[in-house]
């Protein structure tokens, strides 16, 4: 019995606490969130199969309801995507994306339930993303978000707002994403210079 428990400790499945006993380890490890990668790239690097459920896709123009970074471009042609993002079959994120389509005509023909937006922009339109600005904050899941992400209403979510830029500093895309905080965490390392 002791050898079996020692094996479980070595595998990280149980933990020993002197004077208290042996307990099952917390297995709810969170996924590391990297701000310099697309969702699809992150999932693949972590060994998950990324896919999306396309909730809505529509062509239109930048207007009043568009992300703040695009407000000065009112009237510009755009594609709006709303996707439920998965790692394997686990719902990880709800993402609303607005893509300016002047430089990528016909992009709406792509299947963004299977394809990565950033990869399509780079591969098909030679529009690599060279800079992304982020805003990260905590929010509470509203009833619709809770249902889509299979969590309780009011559960903490990680909101990530992004603005993606091309080489000439032109904005190409803005997204608002809501990540499950029980599965995802944001961490950063900063080098301190003397």
């Amino acid at each position: 019995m002791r050898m079996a428990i020692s094996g479980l400790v070595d595998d990280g499945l149980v933990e020993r606490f002197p004077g208290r006993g042996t307990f099952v380890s917390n297995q709810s490890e969170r996924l590391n969130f990297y701000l310099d990668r697309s969702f699809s790239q992150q999932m693949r690097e972590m060994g998950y199969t990324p896919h999306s459920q396309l909730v809505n896709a529509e062509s239109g123009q930048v207007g009043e309801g568009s992300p703040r970074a695009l407000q000065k471009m009112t009237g510009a042609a755009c594609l709006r995507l709303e996707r439920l993002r998965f790692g394997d079959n686990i719902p990880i994120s709800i993402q609303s994306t607005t893509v300016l389509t002047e430089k990528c005509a016909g992009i709406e023909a792509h299947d963004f339930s299977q394809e990565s937006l950033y990869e399509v922009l780079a591969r098909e339109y030679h529009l690599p993303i060279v800079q992304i600005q982020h805003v990260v904050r905590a929010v509470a899941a509203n009833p619709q978000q809770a249902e889509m992400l299979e969590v309780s209403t009011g559960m903490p979510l990680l909101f990530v707002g992004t603005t993606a830029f091309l080489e000439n500093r032109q904005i190409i895309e803005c997204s608002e994403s809501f990540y499950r905080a029980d599965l995802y965490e944001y961490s950063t390392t900063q080098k301190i210079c003397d």
Side-chain angles (χ1 to χ4, degrees):
M1 184 72 152
R2 282 188 208 128
M3 288 177 57
I5 290 175
S6 292
L8 293 173
V9 169
D10 291 342
D11 290 341
L13 298 174
V14 297
E15 296 176 274
R16 286 187 180 144
F17 296 95
R20 291 187 6 208
T22 303
F23 300 90
V24 175
S25 297
N26 182 358
Q27 298 299 311
S28 61
E29 290 186 25
R30 292 184 174 130
L31 303 173
N32 291 320
F33 180 71
Y34 299 99
L35 295 178
D36 64 344
R37 296 175 179 95
S38 72
F39 178 85
S40 298
Q41 183 181 4
Q42 288 183 65
M43 289 295 108
R44 284 193 295 270
E45 286 176 3
M46 291 185 281
Y48 292 93
T49 301
H51 71 278
S52 300
Q53 176 185 328
L54 193 60
V55 176
N56 187 38
E58 62 181 11
S59 295
Q61 295 180 332
V62 173
E64 196 175 294
S66 298
R68 186 181 319 165
L70 299 178
Q71 291 295 315
K72 61 185 176 224
M73 300 172 206
T74 299
C78 67
L79 172 66
R80 292 184 193 89
L81 301 170
E82 184 175 1
R83 296 175 286 176
L84 181 58
R85 312 299 301 269
F86 293 84
D88 290 339
N89 291 315
I90 302 167
I92 305 281
S93 169
I94 301 166
Q95 187 175 63
S96 298
T97 303
T98 303
V99 184
L100 298 176
T101 56
E102 179 185 2
K103 296 179 181 296
C104 50
I107 195 167
E108 67 279 354
H110 287 270
D111 180 3
F112 290 109
S113 66
Q114 301 297 321
E115 296 182 86
S116 163
L117 173 63
Y118 285 8
E119 289 172 10
V120 167
L121 286 170
R123 183 184 67 240
E124 301 292 326
Y125 297 98
H126 308 289
L127 297 171
I129 306 298
V130 298
Q131 182 179 342
I132 303 174
Q133 290 179 348
H134 297 89
V135 174
V136 180
R137 68 176 178 267
V139 297
N142 66 33
Q144 180 183 8
Q145 292 166 337
E147 182 179 346
M148 292 174 75
L149 292 172
E150 300 175 6
V151 298
S152 302
T153 299
M155 183 173 173
L157 300 178
L158 184 65
F159 169 86
V160 180
T162 63
T163 304
F165 295 87
L166 302 173
E167 287 180 320
N168 57 8
R169 292 278 303 144
Q170 282 188 315
I171 296 173
I172 187 69
E173 176 265 347
C174 289
S175 292
E176 294 182 342
S177 302
F178 297 87
Y179 290 89
R180 287 177 54 166
D182 64 327
L183 297 178
Y184 237 57
E185 69 180 17
Y186 166 66
S187 62
T188 184
T189 302
Q190 183 176 356
K191 184 176 180 179
I192 305 299
C193 298
D194 292 330

